[in-house]
Amino acid sequence: MTLRLQIQNDMKAAMKAKEADRLGTIRLLWSAVKQREVDERIELDDVAITAVIEKMLKQRKDSIQQFEAANRQDLADKEKLEVAVLVAYMPQQCSPEEVAAAVTAAITSHGKTPAAMGKIMAELKAALSGRADMSEVSKLVKAGMAA
């Protein structure tokens, strides 16, 4: 089942079950997907939809930090519920060991020169996109190149 079809089916199920919070989050996701499709005049595949979800998750996590810093736990809890719904559409996450092994392999194949950083990150993004936090991967690459 494609991610697009899964989102549509989950939206219908949430409507029937009268799950207002879950339905609202799924509608936000569907709206973001449709907006990107209209903007780019294409139909998004699973990889592109995953990128939309990653962006939405990053926004929610930033909001949670801001709300908690401002002592707005009610808003932070709402964002956490949205994160829980969105995470269900992400592919299986890589273990830290798998990420470290991929980083080590990429560094060994491209070398430790500063010019190789872009090639390493491009290779890792293709391999780990949606399955690992790319900011953490970048930190691991930088640490591996410094060592």
PDB file of all heavy atoms in Angstrom, residues 96 98-125 128 132-147:
ATOM      1  N   PRO A  96      21.193   3.134  16.045  1.00  0.00           N
ATOM      2  CA  PRO A  96      22.423   3.934  16.070  1.00  0.00           C
ATOM      3  C   PRO A  96      23.627   3.177  15.502  1.00  0.00           C
ATOM      4  O   PRO A  96      24.505   3.782  14.884  1.00  0.00           O
ATOM      5  CB  PRO A  96      22.614   4.242  17.552  1.00  0.00           C
ATOM      6  CG  PRO A  96      21.246   4.153  18.142  1.00  0.00           C
ATOM      7  CD  PRO A  96      20.531   3.099  17.340  1.00  0.00           C
ATOM      8  N   GLU A  98      23.550   0.923  13.054  1.00  0.00           N
ATOM      9  CA  GLU A  98      23.437   0.929  11.590  1.00  0.00           C
ATOM     10  C   GLU A  98      23.872   2.272  11.014  1.00  0.00           C
ATOM     11  O   GLU A  98      24.557   2.324   9.992  1.00  0.00           O
ATOM     12  CB  GLU A  98      21.992   0.646  11.156  1.00  0.00           C
ATOM     13  CG  GLU A  98      21.522  -0.765  11.420  1.00  0.00           C
ATOM     14  CD  GLU A  98      20.048  -0.953  11.104  1.00  0.00           C
ATOM     15  OE1 GLU A  98      19.233  -0.119  11.526  1.00  0.00           O
ATOM     16  OE2 GLU A  98      19.732  -1.941  10.420  1.00  0.00           O
ATOM     17  N   VAL A  99      23.479   3.356  11.673  1.00  0.00           N
ATOM     18  CA  VAL A  99      23.862   4.699  11.218  1.00  0.00           C
ATOM     19  C   VAL A  99      25.379   4.851  11.307  1.00  0.00           C
ATOM     20  O   VAL A  99      26.016   5.329  10.362  1.00  0.00           O
ATOM     21  CB  VAL A  99      23.141   5.786  12.041  1.00  0.00           C
ATOM     22  CG1 VAL A  99      23.662   7.173  11.680  1.00  0.00           C
ATOM     23  CG2 VAL A  99      21.636   5.722  11.829  1.00  0.00           C
ATOM     24  N   ALA A 100      25.959   4.447  12.434  1.00  0.00           N
ATOM     25  CA  ALA A 100      27.406   4.560  12.608  1.00  0.00           C
ATOM     26  C   ALA A 100      28.148   3.735  11.558  1.00  0.00           C
ATOM     27  O   ALA A 100      29.164   4.187  11.010  1.00  0.00           O
ATOM     28  CB  ALA A 100      27.797   4.112  14.016  1.00  0.00           C
ATOM     29  N   ALA A 101      27.644   2.550  11.254  1.00  0.00           N
ATOM     30  CA  ALA A 101      28.291   1.706  10.244  1.00  0.00           C
ATOM     31  C   ALA A 101      28.204   2.350   8.865  1.00  0.00           C
ATOM     32  O   ALA A 101      29.185   2.338   8.103  1.00  0.00           O
ATOM     33  CB  ALA A 101      27.639   0.325  10.222  1.00  0.00           C
ATOM     34  N   ALA A 102      27.083   2.941   8.529  1.00  0.00           N
ATOM     35  CA  ALA A 102      26.919   3.607   7.235  1.00  0.00           C
ATOM     36  C   ALA A 102      27.844   4.816   7.128  1.00  0.00           C
ATOM     37  O   ALA A 102      28.461   5.054   6.077  1.00  0.00           O
ATOM     38  CB  ALA A 102      25.471   4.031   7.035  1.00  0.00           C
ATOM     39  N   VAL A 103      27.962   5.571   8.215  1.00  0.00           N
ATOM     40  CA  VAL A 103      28.848   6.746   8.235  1.00  0.00           C
ATOM     41  C   VAL A 103      30.295   6.307   8.050  1.00  0.00           C
ATOM     42  O   VAL A 103      31.035   6.877   7.237  1.00  0.00           O
ATOM     43  CB  VAL A 103      28.668   7.549   9.539  1.00  0.00           C
ATOM     44  CG1 VAL A 103      29.778   8.567   9.730  1.00  0.00           C
ATOM     45  CG2 VAL A 103      27.314   8.245   9.550  1.00  0.00           C
ATOM     46  N   THR A 104      30.710   5.281   8.767  1.00  0.00           N
ATOM     47  CA  THR A 104      32.079   4.783   8.665  1.00  0.00           C
ATOM     48  C   THR A 104      32.377   4.294   7.254  1.00  0.00           C
ATOM     49  O   THR A 104      33.442   4.606   6.687  1.00  0.00           O
ATOM     50  CB  THR A 104      32.310   3.639   9.676  1.00  0.00           C
ATOM     51  OG1 THR A 104      31.970   4.107  10.985  1.00  0.00           O
ATOM     52  CG2 THR A 104      33.742   3.170   9.666  1.00  0.00           C
ATOM     53  N   ALA A 105      31.446   3.569   6.657  1.00  0.00           N
ATOM     54  CA  ALA A 105      31.644   3.060   5.303  1.00  0.00           C
ATOM     55  C   ALA A 105      31.750   4.206   4.293  1.00  0.00           C
ATOM     56  O   ALA A 105      32.604   4.174   3.397  1.00  0.00           O
ATOM     57  CB  ALA A 105      30.509   2.132   4.924  1.00  0.00           C
ATOM     58  N   ALA A 106      30.921   5.225   4.456  1.00  0.00           N
ATOM     59  CA  ALA A 106      30.948   6.357   3.525  1.00  0.00           C
ATOM     60  C   ALA A 106      32.247   7.144   3.656  1.00  0.00           C
ATOM     61  O   ALA A 106      32.832   7.564   2.647  1.00  0.00           O
ATOM     62  CB  ALA A 106      29.752   7.268   3.768  1.00  0.00           C
ATOM     63  N   ILE A 107      32.709   7.338   4.876  1.00  0.00           N
ATOM     64  CA  ILE A 107      33.965   8.074   5.100  1.00  0.00           C
ATOM     65  C   ILE A 107      35.127   7.286   4.512  1.00  0.00           C
ATOM     66  O   ILE A 107      36.019   7.846   3.878  1.00  0.00           O
ATOM     67  CB  ILE A 107      34.183   8.374   6.598  1.00  0.00           C
ATOM     68  CG1 ILE A 107      33.167   9.423   7.058  1.00  0.00           C
ATOM     69  CG2 ILE A 107      35.602   8.858   6.864  1.00  0.00           C
ATOM     70  CD1 ILE A 107      33.194   9.691   8.552  1.00  0.00           C
ATOM     71  N   THR A 108      35.121   5.958   4.692  1.00  0.00           N
ATOM     72  CA  THR A 108      36.226   5.150   4.153  1.00  0.00           C
ATOM     73  C   THR A 108      36.232   5.167   2.624  1.00  0.00           C
ATOM     74  O   THR A 108      37.307   5.198   2.025  1.00  0.00           O
ATOM     75  CB  THR A 108      36.107   3.680   4.595  1.00  0.00           C
ATOM     76  OG1 THR A 108      35.275   3.549   5.730  1.00  0.00           O
ATOM     77  CG2 THR A 108      37.436   3.110   4.965  1.00  0.00           C
ATOM     78  N   SER A 109      35.061   5.177   2.018  1.00  0.00           N
ATOM     79  CA  SER A 109      35.026   5.136   0.555  1.00  0.00           C
ATOM     80  C   SER A 109      35.378   6.475  -0.092  1.00  0.00           C
ATOM     81  O   SER A 109      35.911   6.498  -1.200  1.00  0.00           O
ATOM     82  CB  SER A 109      33.659   4.664   0.066  1.00  0.00           C
ATOM     83  OG  SER A 109      32.676   5.635   0.343  1.00  0.00           O
ATOM     84  N   HIS A 110      35.121   7.586   0.605  1.00  0.00           N
ATOM     85  CA  HIS A 110      35.365   8.906   0.014  1.00  0.00           C
ATOM     86  C   HIS A 110      36.583   9.615   0.593  1.00  0.00           C
ATOM     87  O   HIS A 110      37.034  10.607   0.017  1.00  0.00           O
ATOM     88  CB  HIS A 110      34.137   9.811   0.179  1.00  0.00           C
ATOM     89  CG  HIS A 110      32.965   9.354  -0.624  1.00  0.00           C
ATOM     90  ND1 HIS A 110      32.897   9.470  -1.984  1.00  0.00           N
ATOM     91  CD2 HIS A 110      31.801   8.761  -0.245  1.00  0.00           C
ATOM     92  CE1 HIS A 110      31.755   8.988  -2.418  1.00  0.00           C
ATOM     93  NE2 HIS A 110      31.070   8.535  -1.379  1.00  0.00           N
ATOM     94  N   GLY A 111      37.072   9.171   1.724  1.00  0.00           N
ATOM     95  CA  GLY A 111      38.229   9.822   2.337  1.00  0.00           C
ATOM     96  C   GLY A 111      37.808  10.883   3.338  1.00  0.00           C
ATOM     97  O   GLY A 111      36.637  11.197   3.485  1.00  0.00           O
ATOM     98  N   LYS A 112      38.808  11.433   4.018  1.00  0.00           N
ATOM     99  CA  LYS A 112      38.540  12.401   5.092  1.00  0.00           C
ATOM    100  C   LYS A 112      38.845  13.836   4.685  1.00  0.00           C
ATOM    101  O   LYS A 112      39.077  14.679   5.532  1.00  0.00           O
ATOM    102  CB  LYS A 112      39.358  12.039   6.333  1.00  0.00           C
ATOM    103  CG  LYS A 112      38.916  10.756   7.001  1.00  0.00           C
ATOM    104  CD  LYS A 112      39.641  10.543   8.302  1.00  0.00           C
ATOM    105  CE  LYS A 112      39.151   9.305   9.011  1.00  0.00           C
ATOM    106  NZ  LYS A 112      39.749   9.134  10.328  1.00  0.00           N
ATOM    107  N   THR A 113      38.836  14.129   3.415  1.00  0.00           N
ATOM    108  CA  THR A 113      39.115  15.497   2.984  1.00  0.00           C
ATOM    109  C   THR A 113      37.849  16.347   3.131  1.00  0.00           C
ATOM    110  O   THR A 113      36.739  15.831   3.038  1.00  0.00           O
ATOM    111  CB  THR A 113      39.559  15.531   1.505  1.00  0.00           C
ATOM    112  OG1 THR A 113      38.472  15.070   0.693  1.00  0.00           O
ATOM    113  CG2 THR A 113      40.783  14.658   1.281  1.00  0.00           C
ATOM    114  N   PRO A 114      38.025  17.649   3.365  1.00  0.00           N
ATOM    115  CA  PRO A 114      36.851  18.526   3.482  1.00  0.00           C
ATOM    116  C   PRO A 114      36.000  18.537   2.208  1.00  0.00           C
ATOM    117  O   PRO A 114      34.788  18.681   2.272  1.00  0.00           O
ATOM    118  CB  PRO A 114      37.461  19.906   3.729  1.00  0.00           C
ATOM    119  CG  PRO A 114      38.812  19.631   4.305  1.00  0.00           C
ATOM    120  CD  PRO A 114      39.263  18.345   3.697  1.00  0.00           C
ATOM    121  N   ALA A 115      36.627  18.355   1.070  1.00  0.00           N
ATOM    122  CA  ALA A 115      35.893  18.339  -0.194  1.00  0.00           C
ATOM    123  C   ALA A 115      34.984  17.118  -0.303  1.00  0.00           C
ATOM    124  O   ALA A 115      33.989  17.134  -1.036  1.00  0.00           O
ATOM    125  CB  ALA A 115      36.859  18.371  -1.359  1.00  0.00           C
ATOM    126  N   ALA A 116      35.298  16.051   0.411  1.00  0.00           N
ATOM    127  CA  ALA A 116      34.516  14.817   0.343  1.00  0.00           C
ATOM    128  C   ALA A 116      33.246  14.889   1.195  1.00  0.00           C
ATOM    129  O   ALA A 116      32.365  14.040   1.060  1.00  0.00           O
ATOM    130  CB  ALA A 116      35.370  13.641   0.795  1.00  0.00           C
ATOM    131  N   MET A 117      33.129  15.896   2.049  1.00  0.00           N
ATOM    132  CA  MET A 117      31.977  16.009   2.948  1.00  0.00           C
ATOM    133  C   MET A 117      30.654  16.013   2.171  1.00  0.00           C
ATOM    134  O   MET A 117      29.713  15.321   2.538  1.00  0.00           O
ATOM    135  CB  MET A 117      32.097  17.291   3.782  1.00  0.00           C
ATOM    136  CG  MET A 117      30.936  17.554   4.691  1.00  0.00           C
ATOM    137  SD  MET A 117      31.009  16.520   6.127  1.00  0.00           S
ATOM    138  CE  MET A 117      29.709  17.222   7.100  1.00  0.00           C
ATOM    139  N   GLY A 118      30.587  16.768   1.088  1.00  0.00           N
ATOM    140  CA  GLY A 118      29.355  16.828   0.297  1.00  0.00           C
ATOM    141  C   GLY A 118      29.002  15.492  -0.314  1.00  0.00           C
ATOM    142  O   GLY A 118      27.836  15.084  -0.322  1.00  0.00           O
ATOM    143  N   LYS A 119      30.019  14.792  -0.833  1.00  0.00           N
ATOM    144  CA  LYS A 119      29.776  13.477  -1.438  1.00  0.00           C
ATOM    145  C   LYS A 119      29.317  12.475  -0.387  1.00  0.00           C
ATOM    146  O   LYS A 119      28.425  11.660  -0.633  1.00  0.00           O
ATOM    147  CB  LYS A 119      31.038  12.974  -2.120  1.00  0.00           C
ATOM    148  CG  LYS A 119      31.439  13.780  -3.347  1.00  0.00           C
ATOM    149  CD  LYS A 119      32.732  13.266  -3.926  1.00  0.00           C
ATOM    150  CE  LYS A 119      33.180  14.147  -5.092  1.00  0.00           C
ATOM    151  NZ  LYS A 119      34.489  13.742  -5.606  1.00  0.00           N
ATOM    152  N   ILE A 120      29.933  12.537   0.782  1.00  0.00           N
ATOM    153  CA  ILE A 120      29.564  11.631   1.871  1.00  0.00           C
ATOM    154  C   ILE A 120      28.123  11.866   2.291  1.00  0.00           C
ATOM    155  O   ILE A 120      27.331  10.928   2.417  1.00  0.00           O
ATOM    156  CB  ILE A 120      30.529  11.804   3.071  1.00  0.00           C
ATOM    157  CG1 ILE A 120      31.925  11.314   2.703  1.00  0.00           C
ATOM    158  CG2 ILE A 120      30.001  11.072   4.297  1.00  0.00           C
ATOM    159  CD1 ILE A 120      32.987  11.659   3.725  1.00  0.00           C
ATOM    160  N   MET A 121      27.758  13.148   2.483  1.00  0.00           N
ATOM    161  CA  MET A 121      26.400  13.463   2.927  1.00  0.00           C
ATOM    162  C   MET A 121      25.367  13.099   1.853  1.00  0.00           C
ATOM    163  O   MET A 121      24.270  12.635   2.174  1.00  0.00           O
ATOM    164  CB  MET A 121      26.282  14.944   3.309  1.00  0.00           C
ATOM    165  CG  MET A 121      26.958  15.279   4.631  1.00  0.00           C
ATOM    166  SD  MET A 121      26.411  14.264   6.032  1.00  0.00           S
ATOM    167  CE  MET A 121      24.688  14.723   6.139  1.00  0.00           C
ATOM    168  N   ALA A 122      25.720  13.286   0.580  1.00  0.00           N
ATOM    169  CA  ALA A 122      24.793  12.920  -0.493  1.00  0.00           C
ATOM    170  C   ALA A 122      24.541  11.409  -0.485  1.00  0.00           C
ATOM    171  O   ALA A 122      23.391  10.955  -0.630  1.00  0.00           O
ATOM    172  CB  ALA A 122      25.349  13.365  -1.837  1.00  0.00           C
ATOM    173  N   GLU A 123      25.600  10.645  -0.312  1.00  0.00           N
ATOM    174  CA  GLU A 123      25.462   9.188  -0.268  1.00  0.00           C
ATOM    175  C   GLU A 123      24.624   8.759   0.928  1.00  0.00           C
ATOM    176  O   GLU A 123      23.730   7.913   0.810  1.00  0.00           O
ATOM    177  CB  GLU A 123      26.850   8.542  -0.195  1.00  0.00           C
ATOM    178  CG  GLU A 123      26.819   7.042  -0.096  1.00  0.00           C
ATOM    179  CD  GLU A 123      28.213   6.440   0.017  1.00  0.00           C
ATOM    180  OE1 GLU A 123      29.146   6.950  -0.635  1.00  0.00           O
ATOM    181  OE2 GLU A 123      28.354   5.459   0.770  1.00  0.00           O
ATOM    182  N   LEU A 124      24.909   9.365   2.097  1.00  0.00           N
ATOM    183  CA  LEU A 124      24.178   8.991   3.308  1.00  0.00           C
ATOM    184  C   LEU A 124      22.718   9.441   3.244  1.00  0.00           C
ATOM    185  O   LEU A 124      21.831   8.743   3.739  1.00  0.00           O
ATOM    186  CB  LEU A 124      24.867   9.575   4.540  1.00  0.00           C
ATOM    187  CG  LEU A 124      26.225   8.946   4.864  1.00  0.00           C
ATOM    188  CD1 LEU A 124      26.911   9.705   5.984  1.00  0.00           C
ATOM    189  CD2 LEU A 124      26.063   7.474   5.225  1.00  0.00           C
ATOM    190  N   LYS A 125      22.468  10.596   2.644  1.00  0.00           N
ATOM    191  CA  LYS A 125      21.082  11.066   2.527  1.00  0.00           C
ATOM    192  C   LYS A 125      20.277  10.103   1.670  1.00  0.00           C
ATOM    193  O   LYS A 125      19.135   9.781   1.987  1.00  0.00           O
ATOM    194  CB  LYS A 125      21.029  12.470   1.943  1.00  0.00           C
ATOM    195  CG  LYS A 125      19.621  13.007   1.875  1.00  0.00           C
ATOM    196  CD  LYS A 125      19.567  14.464   1.557  1.00  0.00           C
ATOM    197  CE  LYS A 125      18.114  14.872   1.497  1.00  0.00           C
ATOM    198  NZ  LYS A 125      17.804  16.118   1.989  1.00  0.00           N
ATOM    199  N   LEU A 128      19.880   6.899   3.978  1.00  0.00           N
ATOM    200  CA  LEU A 128      19.240   6.975   5.289  1.00  0.00           C
ATOM    201  C   LEU A 128      18.073   7.946   5.379  1.00  0.00           C
ATOM    202  O   LEU A 128      17.475   8.082   6.445  1.00  0.00           O
ATOM    203  CB  LEU A 128      20.289   7.377   6.345  1.00  0.00           C
ATOM    204  CG  LEU A 128      21.497   6.471   6.486  1.00  0.00           C
ATOM    205  CD1 LEU A 128      22.493   7.060   7.464  1.00  0.00           C
ATOM    206  CD2 LEU A 128      21.080   5.085   6.927  1.00  0.00           C
ATOM    207  N   ALA A 132      16.689   8.085   9.467  1.00  0.00           N
ATOM    208  CA  ALA A 132      17.594   8.606  10.501  1.00  0.00           C
ATOM    209  C   ALA A 132      17.532  10.128  10.475  1.00  0.00           C
ATOM    210  O   ALA A 132      17.233  10.731   9.443  1.00  0.00           O
ATOM    211  CB  ALA A 132      19.021   8.129  10.251  1.00  0.00           C
ATOM    212  N   ASP A 133      17.829  10.742  11.612  1.00  0.00           N
ATOM    213  CA  ASP A 133      17.870  12.197  11.710  1.00  0.00           C
ATOM    214  C   ASP A 133      19.152  12.676  11.030  1.00  0.00           C
ATOM    215  O   ASP A 133      20.258  12.396  11.501  1.00  0.00           O
ATOM    216  CB  ASP A 133      17.846  12.610  13.178  1.00  0.00           C
ATOM    217  CG  ASP A 133      17.829  14.110  13.379  1.00  0.00           C
ATOM    218  OD1 ASP A 133      17.767  14.844  12.373  1.00  0.00           O
ATOM    219  OD2 ASP A 133      17.879  14.541  14.545  1.00  0.00           O
ATOM    220  N   MET A 134      18.995  13.376   9.920  1.00  0.00           N
ATOM    221  CA  MET A 134      20.162  13.757   9.119  1.00  0.00           C
ATOM    222  C   MET A 134      21.058  14.757   9.836  1.00  0.00           C
ATOM    223  O   MET A 134      22.254  14.816   9.560  1.00  0.00           O
ATOM    224  CB  MET A 134      19.719  14.303   7.755  1.00  0.00           C
ATOM    225  CG  MET A 134      19.085  13.243   6.862  1.00  0.00           C
ATOM    226  SD  MET A 134      20.027  11.707   6.687  1.00  0.00           S
ATOM    227  CE  MET A 134      21.426  12.256   5.744  1.00  0.00           C
ATOM    228  N   SER A 135      20.534  15.538  10.780  1.00  0.00           N
ATOM    229  CA  SER A 135      21.403  16.442  11.536  1.00  0.00           C
ATOM    230  C   SER A 135      22.336  15.641  12.444  1.00  0.00           C
ATOM    231  O   SER A 135      23.507  15.995  12.617  1.00  0.00           O
ATOM    232  CB  SER A 135      20.580  17.450  12.347  1.00  0.00           C
ATOM    233  OG  SER A 135      19.793  16.790  13.309  1.00  0.00           O
ATOM    234  N   GLU A 136      21.840  14.539  12.993  1.00  0.00           N
ATOM    235  CA  GLU A 136      22.686  13.661  13.809  1.00  0.00           C
ATOM    236  C   GLU A 136      23.715  12.947  12.934  1.00  0.00           C
ATOM    237  O   GLU A 136      24.867  12.769  13.328  1.00  0.00           O
ATOM    238  CB  GLU A 136      21.838  12.641  14.574  1.00  0.00           C
ATOM    239  CG  GLU A 136      20.927  13.252  15.612  1.00  0.00           C
ATOM    240  CD  GLU A 136      21.699  13.985  16.702  1.00  0.00           C
ATOM    241  OE1 GLU A 136      22.759  13.486  17.136  1.00  0.00           O
ATOM    242  OE2 GLU A 136      21.248  15.066  17.104  1.00  0.00           O
ATOM    243  N   VAL A 137      23.297  12.549  11.739  1.00  0.00           N
ATOM    244  CA  VAL A 137      24.216  11.897  10.802  1.00  0.00           C
ATOM    245  C   VAL A 137      25.346  12.862  10.447  1.00  0.00           C
ATOM    246  O   VAL A 137      26.516  12.481  10.416  1.00  0.00           O
ATOM    247  CB  VAL A 137      23.467  11.425   9.530  1.00  0.00           C
ATOM    248  CG1 VAL A 137      24.437  10.940   8.475  1.00  0.00           C
ATOM    249  CG2 VAL A 137      22.472  10.329   9.883  1.00  0.00           C
ATOM    250  N   SER A 138      24.992  14.117  10.203  1.00  0.00           N
ATOM    251  CA  SER A 138      25.997  15.133   9.873  1.00  0.00           C
ATOM    252  C   SER A 138      27.003  15.296  11.014  1.00  0.00           C
ATOM    253  O   SER A 138      28.209  15.401  10.775  1.00  0.00           O
ATOM    254  CB  SER A 138      25.308  16.459   9.572  1.00  0.00           C
ATOM    255  OG  SER A 138      26.257  17.460   9.329  1.00  0.00           O
ATOM    256  N   LYS A 139      26.517  15.303  12.241  1.00  0.00           N
ATOM    257  CA  LYS A 139      27.418  15.411  13.399  1.00  0.00           C
ATOM    258  C   LYS A 139      28.366  14.213  13.459  1.00  0.00           C
ATOM    259  O   LYS A 139      29.558  14.376  13.758  1.00  0.00           O
ATOM    260  CB  LYS A 139      26.598  15.509  14.695  1.00  0.00           C
ATOM    261  CG  LYS A 139      25.865  16.818  14.847  1.00  0.00           C
ATOM    262  CD  LYS A 139      25.012  16.816  16.092  1.00  0.00           C
ATOM    263  CE  LYS A 139      24.142  18.044  16.164  1.00  0.00           C
ATOM    264  NZ  LYS A 139      23.191  18.020  17.283  1.00  0.00           N
ATOM    265  N   LEU A 140      27.825  13.022  13.183  1.00  0.00           N
ATOM    266  CA  LEU A 140      28.676  11.822  13.185  1.00  0.00           C
ATOM    267  C   LEU A 140      29.738  11.889  12.091  1.00  0.00           C
ATOM    268  O   LEU A 140      30.885  11.477  12.310  1.00  0.00           O
ATOM    269  CB  LEU A 140      27.820  10.570  13.009  1.00  0.00           C
ATOM    270  CG  LEU A 140      26.974  10.114  14.197  1.00  0.00           C
ATOM    271  CD1 LEU A 140      26.059   8.971  13.794  1.00  0.00           C
ATOM    272  CD2 LEU A 140      27.858   9.705  15.351  1.00  0.00           C
ATOM    273  N   VAL A 141      29.352  12.401  10.918  1.00  0.00           N
ATOM    274  CA  VAL A 141      30.317  12.517   9.815  1.00  0.00           C
ATOM    275  C   VAL A 141      31.427  13.490  10.201  1.00  0.00           C
ATOM    276  O   VAL A 141      32.613  13.209   9.998  1.00  0.00           O
ATOM    277  CB  VAL A 141      29.611  12.963   8.507  1.00  0.00           C
ATOM    278  CG1 VAL A 141      30.621  13.348   7.448  1.00  0.00           C
ATOM    279  CG2 VAL A 141      28.687  11.862   8.007  1.00  0.00           C
ATOM    280  N   LYS A 142      31.055  14.631  10.764  1.00  0.00           N
ATOM    281  CA  LYS A 142      32.047  15.624  11.161  1.00  0.00           C
ATOM    282  C   LYS A 142      33.000  15.057  12.212  1.00  0.00           C
ATOM    283  O   LYS A 142      34.196  15.267  12.158  1.00  0.00           O
ATOM    284  CB  LYS A 142      31.375  16.889  11.667  1.00  0.00           C
ATOM    285  CG  LYS A 142      30.723  17.689  10.547  1.00  0.00           C
ATOM    286  CD  LYS A 142      29.960  18.884  11.078  1.00  0.00           C
ATOM    287  CE  LYS A 142      29.247  19.586   9.930  1.00  0.00           C
ATOM    288  NZ  LYS A 142      28.322  20.611  10.397  1.00  0.00           N
ATOM    289  N   ALA A 143      32.418  14.324  13.172  1.00  0.00           N
ATOM    290  CA  ALA A 143      33.262  13.714  14.212  1.00  0.00           C
ATOM    291  C   ALA A 143      34.162  12.636  13.607  1.00  0.00           C
ATOM    292  O   ALA A 143      35.335  12.536  13.976  1.00  0.00           O
ATOM    293  CB  ALA A 143      32.376  13.106  15.299  1.00  0.00           C
ATOM    294  N   GLY A 144      33.648  11.863  12.663  1.00  0.00           N
ATOM    295  CA  GLY A 144      34.439  10.816  12.031  1.00  0.00           C
ATOM    296  C   GLY A 144      35.554  11.379  11.167  1.00  0.00           C
ATOM    297  O   GLY A 144      36.632  10.792  11.073  1.00  0.00           O
ATOM    298  N   MET A 145      35.310  12.507  10.541  1.00  0.00           N
ATOM    299  CA  MET A 145      36.339  13.129   9.695  1.00  0.00           C
ATOM    300  C   MET A 145      37.416  13.797  10.538  1.00  0.00           C
ATOM    301  O   MET A 145      38.562  13.896  10.110  1.00  0.00           O
ATOM    302  CB  MET A 145      35.702  14.118   8.731  1.00  0.00           C
ATOM    303  CG  MET A 145      34.854  13.423   7.667  1.00  0.00           C
ATOM    304  SD  MET A 145      34.103  14.542   6.515  1.00  0.00           S
ATOM    305  CE  MET A 145      35.485  14.949   5.497  1.00  0.00           C
ATOM    306  N   ALA A 146      37.046  14.244  11.731  1.00  0.00           N
ATOM    307  CA  ALA A 146      38.014  14.899  12.610  1.00  0.00           C
ATOM    308  C   ALA A 146      38.934  13.869  13.279  1.00  0.00           C
ATOM    309  O   ALA A 146      40.059  14.178  13.631  1.00  0.00           O
ATOM    310  CB  ALA A 146      37.301  15.731  13.662  1.00  0.00           C
ATOM    311  N   ALA A 147      38.420  12.664  13.421  1.00  0.00           N
ATOM    312  CA  ALA A 147      39.200  11.624  14.111  1.00  0.00           C
ATOM    313  C   ALA A 147      40.298  11.067  13.255  1.00  0.00           C
ATOM    314  O   ALA A 147      40.375  11.129  12.104  1.00  0.00           O
ATOM    315  CB  ALA A 147      38.267  10.496  14.544  1.00  0.00           C
TER     316      ALA A 147
END
